[in-house]
Amino acid sequence: MNRVYVCSCFGITEEEVRARAAAGAGTPRSIASACKAGTDCGSCVRRIQALLGRGAAPRRHAAGCSAVTPAAAGSAAPLDEAA
Protein backbone atom coordinates (compact mmCIF):
# COMPACT_ATOMS: atom_id res chain seq x y z
CA MET A 1 0.00 0.00 0.00
CA ASN A 2 1.44 3.37 -1.06
CA ARG A 3 0.70 6.14 1.46
CA VAL A 4 1.04 9.74 0.37
CA TYR A 5 1.60 11.97 3.37
CA VAL A 6 0.09 15.44 3.35
CA CYS A 7 1.19 16.49 6.83
CA SER A 8 4.61 15.17 7.85
CA CYS A 9 4.40 16.80 11.28
CA PHE A 10 1.45 14.63 12.36
CA GLY A 11 1.67 11.78 9.81
CA ILE A 12 -1.65 12.59 8.09
CA THR A 13 -2.17 11.00 4.68
CA GLU A 14 -4.22 12.11 1.66
CA GLU A 15 -6.59 9.23 2.40
CA GLU A 16 -7.19 10.54 5.94
CA VAL A 17 -7.84 14.10 4.70
CA ARG A 18 -10.31 12.80 2.11
CA ALA A 19 -12.05 10.67 4.76
CA ARG A 20 -12.37 13.70 7.08
CA ALA A 21 -13.72 15.76 4.17
CA ALA A 22 -16.28 13.05 3.35
CA ALA A 23 -17.32 13.12 7.02
CA GLY A 24 -18.09 16.83 6.75
CA ALA A 25 -14.79 18.68 7.30
CA GLY A 26 -14.95 20.98 4.28
CA THR A 27 -12.34 23.61 5.15
CA PRO A 28 -8.65 23.47 6.06
CA ARG A 29 -9.58 24.79 9.51
CA SER A 30 -12.07 21.97 10.08
CA ILE A 31 -9.48 19.43 8.89
CA ALA A 32 -7.04 20.95 11.40
CA SER A 33 -9.62 20.64 14.17
CA ALA A 34 -10.24 17.01 13.28
CA CYS A 35 -6.65 15.76 12.98
CA LYS A 36 -4.19 18.66 13.59
CA ALA A 37 -2.96 18.67 9.96
CA GLY A 38 -1.74 22.16 9.10
CA THR A 39 -1.38 23.37 12.69
CA ASP A 40 2.37 22.95 13.17
CA CYS A 41 4.64 24.21 10.38
CA GLY A 42 1.79 24.99 7.94
CA SER A 43 3.55 23.71 4.83
CA CYS A 44 0.69 21.30 4.08
CA VAL A 45 -2.16 23.84 4.14
CA ARG A 46 -2.07 24.50 0.38
CA ARG A 47 -2.10 20.76 -0.32
CA ILE A 48 -5.09 20.35 1.99
CA GLN A 49 -6.86 23.19 0.16
CA ALA A 50 -6.18 21.45 -3.15
CA LEU A 51 -7.53 18.14 -1.82
CA LEU A 52 -10.69 19.95 -0.72
CA GLY A 53 -11.03 21.50 -4.18
CA ARG A 54 -10.57 24.99 -2.82
CA GLY A 55 -7.39 25.90 -4.68
CA ALA A 56 -4.70 28.00 -3.11
CA ALA A 57 -6.01 30.96 -1.17
CA PRO A 58 -4.25 34.33 -1.46
CA ARG A 59 -2.04 35.21 1.47
CA ARG A 60 -3.54 37.46 4.10
CA HIS A 61 -1.81 40.58 5.34
CA ALA A 62 -1.65 41.78 8.92
CA ALA A 63 -4.32 44.24 10.02
CA GLY A 64 -3.32 47.77 9.15
CA CYS A 65 -0.72 46.57 6.67
CA SER A 66 -1.36 47.77 3.17
CA ALA A 67 0.05 45.53 0.48
CA VAL A 68 1.33 47.49 -2.51
CA THR A 69 1.59 45.77 -5.85
CA PRO A 70 4.51 46.72 -8.13
CA ALA A 71 2.09 48.34 -10.59
CA ALA A 72 0.49 50.45 -7.87
CA ALA A 73 3.85 51.46 -6.41
CA GLY A 74 4.89 53.13 -9.66
CA SER A 75 1.67 55.12 -10.01
CA ALA A 76 1.47 56.45 -6.46
CA ALA A 77 0.82 60.17 -6.16
CA PRO A 78 3.63 62.24 -4.62
CA LEU A 79 3.27 63.04 -0.94
CA ASP A 80 2.13 66.52 0.04
CA GLU A 81 5.08 67.95 1.97
CA ALA A 82 2.84 70.50 3.73
CA ALA A 83 0.89 67.75 5.50
Side-chain angles (χ1 to χ4, degrees), residues 29-76:
R29 187 170 300 223
S30 60
I31 295 290
S33 294
C35 64
K36 294 188 180 182
T39 61
D40 194 25
C41 77
S43 66
C44 61
V45 173
R46 289 184 183 243
R47 180 68 185 140
I48 293 168
Q49 289 173 329
L51 288 170
L52 296 174
R54 299 174 60 87
R59 294 190 182 253
R60 295 182 183 181
H61 297 283
C65 177
S66 135
V68 178
T69 62
S75 64

mmCIF file of all heavy atoms in Angstrom, residues 29-76:
data_model
loop_
_atom_site.group_PDB
_atom_site.id
_atom_site.type_symbol
_atom_site.label_atom_id
_atom_site.label_comp_id
_atom_site.label_asym_id
_atom_site.label_seq_id
_atom_site.Cartn_x
_atom_site.Cartn_y
_atom_site.Cartn_z
ATOM 1 N N ARG A 29 -9.450 24.593 8.063
ATOM 2 C CA ARG A 29 -9.581 24.790 9.511
ATOM 3 C C ARG A 29 -10.305 23.615 10.163
ATOM 4 O O ARG A 29 -9.940 23.163 11.234
ATOM 5 C CB ARG A 29 -10.317 26.089 9.804
ATOM 6 C CG ARG A 29 -10.349 26.431 11.276
ATOM 7 C CD ARG A 29 -10.874 27.813 11.477
ATOM 8 N NE ARG A 29 -10.002 28.743 10.788
ATOM 9 C CZ ARG A 29 -9.595 29.887 11.271
ATOM 10 N NH1 ARG A 29 -10.015 30.290 12.436
ATOM 11 N NH2 ARG A 29 -8.797 30.663 10.589
ATOM 12 N N SER A 30 -11.349 23.100 9.508
ATOM 13 C CA SER A 30 -12.068 21.965 10.081
ATOM 14 C C SER A 30 -11.237 20.688 10.002
ATOM 15 O O SER A 30 -11.317 19.839 10.886
ATOM 16 C CB SER A 30 -13.436 21.785 9.425
ATOM 17 O OG SER A 30 -13.311 21.563 8.046
ATOM 18 N N ILE A 31 -10.419 20.558 8.969
ATOM 19 C CA ILE A 31 -9.481 19.430 8.894
ATOM 20 C C ILE A 31 -8.494 19.534 10.047
ATOM 21 O O ILE A 31 -8.202 18.554 10.728
ATOM 22 C CB ILE A 31 -8.731 19.415 7.544
ATOM 23 C CG1 ILE A 31 -9.684 19.158 6.374
ATOM 24 C CG2 ILE A 31 -7.579 18.409 7.559
ATOM 25 C CD1 ILE A 31 -10.255 17.765 6.279
ATOM 26 N N ALA A 32 -7.990 20.734 10.299
ATOM 27 C CA ALA A 32 -7.044 20.946 11.399
ATOM 28 C C ALA A 32 -7.678 20.594 12.739
ATOM 29 O O ALA A 32 -7.035 19.981 13.597
ATOM 30 C CB ALA A 32 -6.558 22.391 11.397
ATOM 31 N N SER A 33 -8.926 20.964 12.925
ATOM 32 C CA SER A 33 -9.623 20.643 14.172
ATOM 33 C C SER A 33 -9.799 19.138 14.338
ATOM 34 O O SER A 33 -9.753 18.624 15.450
ATOM 35 C CB SER A 33 -10.993 21.312 14.209
ATOM 36 O OG SER A 33 -10.859 22.702 14.266
ATOM 37 N N ALA A 34 -9.985 18.446 13.225
ATOM 38 C CA ALA A 34 -10.241 17.013 13.281
ATOM 39 C C ALA A 34 -8.978 16.183 13.501
ATOM 40 O O ALA A 34 -9.013 15.172 14.184
ATOM 41 C CB ALA A 34 -10.933 16.566 11.996
ATOM 42 N N CYS A 35 -7.844 16.613 12.914
ATOM 43 C CA CYS A 35 -6.653 15.755 12.981
ATOM 44 C C CYS A 35 -5.335 16.502 13.158
ATOM 45 O O CYS A 35 -4.277 15.887 13.054
ATOM 46 C CB CYS A 35 -6.585 14.876 11.738
ATOM 47 S SG CYS A 35 -6.373 15.785 10.199
ATOM 48 N N LYS A 36 -5.363 17.808 13.364
ATOM 49 C CA LYS A 36 -4.193 18.657 13.588
ATOM 50 C C LYS A 36 -3.374 18.966 12.332
ATOM 51 O O LYS A 36 -2.418 19.715 12.398
ATOM 52 C CB LYS A 36 -3.264 18.076 14.654
ATOM 53 C CG LYS A 36 -3.838 18.032 16.033
ATOM 54 C CD LYS A 36 -2.760 17.614 17.014
ATOM 55 C CE LYS A 36 -3.294 17.568 18.420
ATOM 56 N NZ LYS A 36 -2.250 17.211 19.362
ATOM 57 N N ALA A 37 -3.713 18.398 11.189
ATOM 58 C CA ALA A 37 -2.963 18.668 9.964
ATOM 59 C C ALA A 37 -2.997 20.161 9.659
ATOM 60 O O ALA A 37 -4.052 20.782 9.667
ATOM 61 C CB ALA A 37 -3.545 17.886 8.794
ATOM 62 N N GLY A 38 -1.838 20.743 9.428
ATOM 63 C CA GLY A 38 -1.742 22.158 9.101
ATOM 64 C C GLY A 38 -1.550 23.071 10.291
ATOM 65 O O GLY A 38 -1.451 24.279 10.129
ATOM 66 N N THR A 39 -1.477 22.517 11.496
ATOM 67 C CA THR A 39 -1.381 23.368 12.686
ATOM 68 C C THR A 39 0.037 23.539 13.211
ATOM 69 O O THR A 39 0.251 24.326 14.118
ATOM 70 C CB THR A 39 -2.252 22.821 13.828
ATOM 71 O OG1 THR A 39 -1.792 21.516 14.186
ATOM 72 C CG2 THR A 39 -3.714 22.767 13.421
ATOM 73 N N ASP A 40 1.005 22.811 12.666
ATOM 74 C CA ASP A 40 2.373 22.945 13.173
ATOM 75 C C ASP A 40 3.177 23.872 12.257
ATOM 76 O O ASP A 40 3.176 25.073 12.465
ATOM 77 C CB ASP A 40 3.028 21.571 13.317
ATOM 78 C CG ASP A 40 4.302 21.611 14.153
ATOM 79 O OD1 ASP A 40 4.438 22.517 14.996
ATOM 80 O OD2 ASP A 40 5.164 20.732 13.962
ATOM 81 N N CYS A 41 3.806 23.359 11.238
ATOM 82 C CA CYS A 41 4.635 24.213 10.379
ATOM 83 C C CYS A 41 3.831 24.908 9.292
ATOM 84 O O CYS A 41 4.256 25.927 8.759
ATOM 85 C CB CYS A 41 5.783 23.415 9.777
ATOM 86 S SG CYS A 41 5.329 22.353 8.391
ATOM 87 N N GLY A 42 2.657 24.357 8.924
ATOM 88 C CA GLY A 42 1.791 24.992 7.941
ATOM 89 C C GLY A 42 2.121 24.706 6.488
ATOM 90 O O GLY A 42 1.410 25.162 5.592
ATOM 91 N N SER A 43 3.168 23.945 6.227
ATOM 92 C CA SER A 43 3.553 23.713 4.832
ATOM 93 C C SER A 43 2.549 22.860 4.063
ATOM 94 O O SER A 43 2.567 22.844 2.838
ATOM 95 C CB SER A 43 4.939 23.064 4.760
ATOM 96 O OG SER A 43 4.908 21.765 5.309
ATOM 97 N N CYS A 44 1.651 22.176 4.754
ATOM 98 C CA CYS A 44 0.688 21.300 4.078
ATOM 99 C C CYS A 44 -0.660 21.975 3.801
ATOM 100 O O CYS A 44 -1.519 21.395 3.145
ATOM 101 C CB CYS A 44 0.458 20.041 4.909
ATOM 102 S SG CYS A 44 -0.210 20.366 6.546
ATOM 103 N N VAL A 45 -0.848 23.190 4.256
ATOM 104 C CA VAL A 45 -2.160 23.836 4.140
ATOM 105 C C VAL A 45 -2.593 23.976 2.680
ATOM 106 O O VAL A 45 -3.743 23.702 2.338
ATOM 107 C CB VAL A 45 -2.175 25.200 4.859
ATOM 108 C CG1 VAL A 45 -3.469 25.952 4.589
ATOM 109 C CG2 VAL A 45 -1.972 24.999 6.351
ATOM 110 N N ARG A 46 -1.705 24.357 1.804
ATOM 111 C CA ARG A 46 -2.069 24.499 0.383
ATOM 112 C C ARG A 46 -2.434 23.153 -0.235
ATOM 113 O O ARG A 46 -3.321 23.067 -1.065
ATOM 114 C CB ARG A 46 -0.957 25.174 -0.400
ATOM 115 C CG ARG A 46 -0.858 26.635 -0.044
ATOM 116 C CD ARG A 46 0.191 27.331 -0.887
ATOM 117 N NE ARG A 46 0.277 28.705 -0.456
ATOM 118 C CZ ARG A 46 -0.006 29.742 -1.222
ATOM 119 N NH1 ARG A 46 -0.357 29.559 -2.461
ATOM 120 N NH2 ARG A 46 0.083 30.965 -0.753
ATOM 121 N N ARG A 47 -1.765 22.102 0.179
ATOM 122 C CA ARG A 47 -2.101 20.757 -0.320
ATOM 123 C C ARG A 47 -3.477 20.341 0.192
ATOM 124 O O ARG A 47 -4.269 19.754 -0.544
ATOM 125 C CB ARG A 47 -1.027 19.755 0.123
ATOM 126 C CG ARG A 47 -1.271 18.353 -0.342
ATOM 127 C CD ARG A 47 -1.134 18.237 -1.852
ATOM 128 N NE ARG A 47 -1.504 16.887 -2.249
ATOM 129 C CZ ARG A 47 -2.201 16.595 -3.326
ATOM 130 N NH1 ARG A 47 -2.580 17.551 -4.147
ATOM 131 N NH2 ARG A 47 -2.514 15.369 -3.611
ATOM 132 N N ILE A 48 -3.774 20.652 1.441
ATOM 133 C CA ILE A 48 -5.092 20.347 1.995
ATOM 134 C C ILE A 48 -6.166 21.114 1.237
ATOM 135 O O ILE A 48 -7.208 20.566 0.885
ATOM 136 C CB ILE A 48 -5.145 20.651 3.508
ATOM 137 C CG1 ILE A 48 -4.235 19.678 4.263
ATOM 138 C CG2 ILE A 48 -6.571 20.592 4.038
ATOM 139 C CD1 ILE A 48 -3.989 20.054 5.714
ATOM 140 N N GLN A 49 -5.904 22.387 0.941
ATOM 141 C CA GLN A 49 -6.856 23.187 0.158
ATOM 142 C C GLN A 49 -7.095 22.551 -1.201
ATOM 143 O O GLN A 49 -8.234 22.478 -1.668
ATOM 144 C CB GLN A 49 -6.323 24.604 -0.034
ATOM 145 C CG GLN A 49 -6.342 25.426 1.220
ATOM 146 C CD GLN A 49 -5.657 26.761 1.034
ATOM 147 O OE1 GLN A 49 -4.716 26.888 0.248
ATOM 148 N NE2 GLN A 49 -6.112 27.756 1.771
ATOM 149 N N ALA A 50 -6.050 22.080 -1.835
ATOM 150 C CA ALA A 50 -6.182 21.448 -3.149
ATOM 151 C C ALA A 50 -6.998 20.158 -3.048
ATOM 152 O O ALA A 50 -7.843 19.890 -3.904
ATOM 153 C CB ALA A 50 -4.807 21.165 -3.739
ATOM 154 N N LEU A 51 -6.768 19.369 -2.003
ATOM 155 C CA LEU A 51 -7.534 18.137 -1.819
ATOM 156 C C LEU A 51 -9.011 18.431 -1.589
ATOM 157 O O LEU A 51 -9.873 17.645 -1.968
ATOM 158 C CB LEU A 51 -6.982 17.325 -0.648
ATOM 159 C CG LEU A 51 -5.636 16.643 -0.901
ATOM 160 C CD1 LEU A 51 -5.073 16.079 0.393
ATOM 161 C CD2 LEU A 51 -5.774 15.558 -1.948
ATOM 162 N N LEU A 52 -9.299 19.559 -0.971
ATOM 163 C CA LEU A 52 -10.685 19.952 -0.720
ATOM 164 C C LEU A 52 -11.317 20.635 -1.921
ATOM 165 O O LEU A 52 -12.493 20.989 -1.897
ATOM 166 C CB LEU A 52 -10.762 20.884 0.499
ATOM 167 C CG LEU A 52 -10.347 20.276 1.829
ATOM 168 C CD1 LEU A 52 -10.322 21.341 2.914
ATOM 169 C CD2 LEU A 52 -11.277 19.138 2.209
ATOM 170 N N GLY A 53 -10.515 20.853 -2.974
ATOM 171 C CA GLY A 53 -11.029 21.496 -4.177
ATOM 172 C C GLY A 53 -11.166 22.992 -4.034
ATOM 173 O O GLY A 53 -11.907 23.626 -4.768
ATOM 174 N N ARG A 54 -10.462 23.564 -3.085
ATOM 175 C CA ARG A 54 -10.572 24.993 -2.823
ATOM 176 C C ARG A 54 -9.488 25.796 -3.514
ATOM 177 O O ARG A 54 -9.521 27.010 -3.510
ATOM 178 C CB ARG A 54 -10.508 25.248 -1.311
ATOM 179 C CG ARG A 54 -11.642 24.577 -0.565
ATOM 180 C CD ARG A 54 -11.480 24.711 0.921
ATOM 181 N NE ARG A 54 -11.456 26.082 1.384
ATOM 182 C CZ ARG A 54 -12.527 26.793 1.701
ATOM 183 N NH1 ARG A 54 -13.715 26.253 1.612
ATOM 184 N NH2 ARG A 54 -12.410 28.024 2.124
ATOM 185 N N GLY A 55 -8.485 25.169 -4.070
ATOM 186 C CA GLY A 55 -7.388 25.901 -4.683
ATOM 187 C C GLY A 55 -6.550 26.579 -3.627
ATOM 188 O O GLY A 55 -6.786 26.432 -2.437
ATOM 189 N N ALA A 56 -5.577 27.299 -4.042
ATOM 190 C CA ALA A 56 -4.705 27.998 -3.110
ATOM 191 C C ALA A 56 -5.274 29.377 -2.818
ATOM 192 O O ALA A 56 -5.560 30.143 -3.725
ATOM 193 C CB ALA A 56 -3.306 28.121 -3.692
ATOM 194 N N ALA A 57 -5.458 29.671 -1.574
ATOM 195 C CA ALA A 57 -6.009 30.965 -1.166
ATOM 196 C C ALA A 57 -4.912 32.019 -1.180
ATOM 197 O O ALA A 57 -3.753 31.714 -0.907
ATOM 198 C CB ALA A 57 -6.598 30.861 0.230
ATOM 199 N N PRO A 58 -5.258 33.269 -1.508
ATOM 200 C CA PRO A 58 -4.251 34.330 -1.456
ATOM 201 C C PRO A 58 -3.807 34.551 -0.019
ATOM 202 O O PRO A 58 -4.565 34.321 0.920
ATOM 203 C CB PRO A 58 -4.993 35.563 -1.995
ATOM 204 C CG PRO A 58 -6.428 35.234 -1.889
ATOM 205 C CD PRO A 58 -6.558 33.742 -1.925
ATOM 206 N N ARG A 59 -2.567 34.966 0.136
ATOM 207 C CA ARG A 59 -2.041 35.210 1.475
ATOM 208 C C ARG A 59 -2.704 36.423 2.091
ATOM 209 O O ARG A 59 -2.972 37.401 1.423
ATOM 210 C CB ARG A 59 -0.538 35.425 1.426
ATOM 211 C CG ARG A 59 0.187 34.182 1.000
ATOM 212 C CD ARG A 59 1.671 34.360 1.186
ATOM 213 N NE ARG A 59 2.347 33.168 0.730
ATOM 214 C CZ ARG A 59 2.897 32.297 1.542
ATOM 215 N NH1 ARG A 59 2.870 32.498 2.829
ATOM 216 N NH2 ARG A 59 3.487 31.239 1.083
ATOM 217 N N ARG A 60 -2.938 36.349 3.382
ATOM 218 C CA ARG A 60 -3.541 37.461 4.105
ATOM 219 C C ARG A 60 -2.438 38.353 4.651
ATOM 220 O O ARG A 60 -1.354 37.900 4.960
ATOM 221 C CB ARG A 60 -4.389 36.952 5.265
ATOM 222 C CG ARG A 60 -5.572 36.163 4.797
ATOM 223 C CD ARG A 60 -6.392 35.736 5.963
ATOM 224 N NE ARG A 60 -7.499 34.909 5.496
ATOM 225 C CZ ARG A 60 -8.393 34.401 6.279
ATOM 226 N NH1 ARG A 60 -8.346 34.611 7.568
ATOM 227 N NH2 ARG A 60 -9.359 33.675 5.788
ATOM 228 N N HIS A 61 -2.761 39.620 4.790
ATOM 229 C CA HIS A 61 -1.810 40.576 5.345
ATOM 230 C C HIS A 61 -2.269 40.976 6.734
ATOM 231 O O HIS A 61 -3.453 40.961 7.042
ATOM 232 C CB HIS A 61 -1.713 41.815 4.451
ATOM 233 C CG HIS A 61 -1.191 41.485 3.090
ATOM 234 N ND1 HIS A 61 0.135 41.255 2.837
ATOM 235 C CD2 HIS A 61 -1.824 41.304 1.896
ATOM 236 C CE1 HIS A 61 0.298 40.966 1.562
ATOM 237 N NE2 HIS A 61 -0.881 40.982 0.973
ATOM 238 N N ALA A 62 -1.330 41.362 7.550
ATOM 239 C CA ALA A 62 -1.652 41.776 8.917
ATOM 240 C C ALA A 62 -2.581 42.982 8.894
ATOM 241 O O ALA A 62 -2.541 43.801 7.974
ATOM 242 C CB ALA A 62 -0.368 42.112 9.668
ATOM 243 N N ALA A 63 -3.401 43.107 9.920
ATOM 244 C CA ALA A 63 -4.322 44.239 10.020
ATOM 245 C C ALA A 63 -3.530 45.539 10.017
ATOM 246 O O ALA A 63 -2.526 45.669 10.698
ATOM 247 C CB ALA A 63 -5.150 44.124 11.291
ATOM 248 N N GLY A 64 -3.978 46.474 9.233
ATOM 249 C CA GLY A 64 -3.315 47.767 9.153
ATOM 250 C C GLY A 64 -2.157 47.791 8.167
ATOM 251 O O GLY A 64 -1.582 48.825 7.904
ATOM 252 N N CYS A 65 -1.815 46.652 7.630
ATOM 253 C CA CYS A 65 -0.719 46.569 6.670
ATOM 254 C C CYS A 65 -1.307 46.669 5.278
ATOM 255 O O CYS A 65 -2.182 45.911 4.906
ATOM 256 C CB CYS A 65 0.018 45.245 6.826
ATOM 257 S SG CYS A 65 1.338 45.020 5.626
ATOM 258 N N SER A 66 -0.833 47.603 4.510
ATOM 259 C CA SER A 66 -1.363 47.772 3.169
ATOM 260 C C SER A 66 -0.372 47.193 2.184
ATOM 261 O O SER A 66 0.764 47.625 2.098
ATOM 262 C CB SER A 66 -1.614 49.255 2.933
ATOM 263 O OG SER A 66 -1.170 49.675 1.702
ATOM 264 N N ALA A 67 -0.801 46.170 1.471
ATOM 265 C CA ALA A 67 0.049 45.532 0.476
ATOM 266 C C ALA A 67 0.034 46.383 -0.783
ATOM 267 O O ALA A 67 -1.013 46.754 -1.273
ATOM 268 C CB ALA A 67 -0.451 44.132 0.173
ATOM 269 N N VAL A 68 1.216 46.673 -1.305
ATOM 270 C CA VAL A 68 1.329 47.487 -2.507
ATOM 271 C C VAL A 68 1.860 46.604 -3.613
ATOM 272 O O VAL A 68 2.900 45.975 -3.473
ATOM 273 C CB VAL A 68 2.281 48.678 -2.274
ATOM 274 C CG1 VAL A 68 2.446 49.490 -3.539
ATOM 275 C CG2 VAL A 68 1.786 49.537 -1.142
ATOM 276 N N THR A 69 1.136 46.542 -4.709
ATOM 277 C CA THR A 69 1.594 45.772 -5.849
ATOM 278 C C THR A 69 2.616 46.592 -6.618
ATOM 279 O O THR A 69 2.614 47.827 -6.544
ATOM 280 C CB THR A 69 0.420 45.418 -6.775
ATOM 281 O OG1 THR A 69 -0.144 46.633 -7.255
ATOM 282 C CG2 THR A 69 -0.618 44.590 -6.050
ATOM 283 N N PRO A 70 3.506 45.964 -7.368
ATOM 284 C CA PRO A 70 4.510 46.717 -8.129
ATOM 285 C C PRO A 70 3.879 47.735 -9.068
ATOM 286 O O PRO A 70 4.378 48.830 -9.222
ATOM 287 C CB PRO A 70 5.260 45.633 -8.910
ATOM 288 C CG PRO A 70 5.065 44.388 -8.111
ATOM 289 C CD PRO A 70 3.714 44.531 -7.466
ATOM 290 N N ALA A 71 2.745 47.401 -9.680
ATOM 291 C CA ALA A 71 2.088 48.340 -10.594
ATOM 292 C C ALA A 71 1.574 49.557 -9.836
ATOM 293 O O ALA A 71 1.686 50.691 -10.298
ATOM 294 C CB ALA A 71 0.937 47.652 -11.328
ATOM 295 N N ALA A 72 1.024 49.344 -8.657
ATOM 296 C CA ALA A 72 0.488 50.448 -7.872
ATOM 297 C C ALA A 72 1.602 51.305 -7.291
ATOM 298 O O ALA A 72 1.437 52.502 -7.109
ATOM 299 C CB ALA A 72 -0.395 49.911 -6.745
ATOM 300 N N ALA A 73 2.737 50.714 -7.003
ATOM 301 C CA ALA A 73 3.845 51.460 -6.413
ATOM 302 C C ALA A 73 4.374 52.518 -7.380
ATOM 303 O O ALA A 73 4.736 53.614 -6.978
ATOM 304 C CB ALA A 73 4.967 50.511 -6.004
ATOM 305 N N GLY A 74 4.388 52.192 -8.675
ATOM 306 C CA GLY A 74 4.893 53.132 -9.663
ATOM 307 C C GLY A 74 3.928 54.263 -9.963
ATOM 308 O O GLY A 74 4.313 55.322 -10.436
ATOM 309 N N SER A 75 2.663 54.094 -9.660
ATOM 310 C CA SER A 75 1.672 55.117 -10.007
ATOM 311 C C SER A 75 1.195 55.894 -8.781
ATOM 312 O O SER A 75 0.204 56.585 -8.865
ATOM 313 C CB SER A 75 0.472 54.463 -10.698
ATOM 314 O OG SER A 75 -0.169 53.577 -9.794
ATOM 315 N N ALA A 76 1.885 55.754 -7.665
ATOM 316 C CA ALA A 76 1.466 56.449 -6.461
ATOM 317 C C ALA A 76 1.665 57.953 -6.612
ATOM 318 O O ALA A 76 2.635 58.409 -7.196
ATOM 319 C CB ALA A 76 2.260 55.946 -5.264
#
